[in-house]
Amino acid sequence: SFSLSADSDVRLDVYDVLGRRVATLVDDMMPAGEHQVSWDAAGVASGMYFARLTTSAGMMTRKMVLVR
């Protein structure tokens, strides 16, 4: 989940530990407010991944651990 203080172009990507993009979850203009995005990780191995949120205000990266 994430919150936008103003309408913004948003891109939310998931990367593996080698820096390869494994999914693009959002690539669109989104309105201000609270948002929640789910990742269907079917076909992806257990392990550590990184979610990178990019907006007109900046970029944020967070670690995620996928356990099956």
Side-chain angles (χ1 to χ4, degrees):
S1 61
F2 59 94
S3 178
L4 298 173
S5 59
D7 295 358
S8 181
D9 282 323
V10 174
R11 184 168 178 108
L12 179 57
D13 294 307
V14 178
Y15 294 88
D16 66 13
V17 293
L18 297 177
R20 297 178 296 203
R21 185 174 55 229
V22 295
T24 297
L25 306 180
V26 177
D27 188 11
D28 204 359
M29 175 65 95
M30 297 187 82
E34 298 288 325
H35 300 278
Q36 189 166 5
V37 178
S38 296
W39 176 32
D40 178 4
V44 178
S46 294
M48 186 167 20
Y49 293 87
F50 299 89
R52 178 178 290 164
L53 177 68
T54 306
T55 70
S56 57
M59 180 174 41
M60 176 187 300
T61 303
R62 295 287 186 258
K63 285 191 275 188
M64 304 183 295
V65 177
L66 176 63
V67 179
R68 296 201 184 271

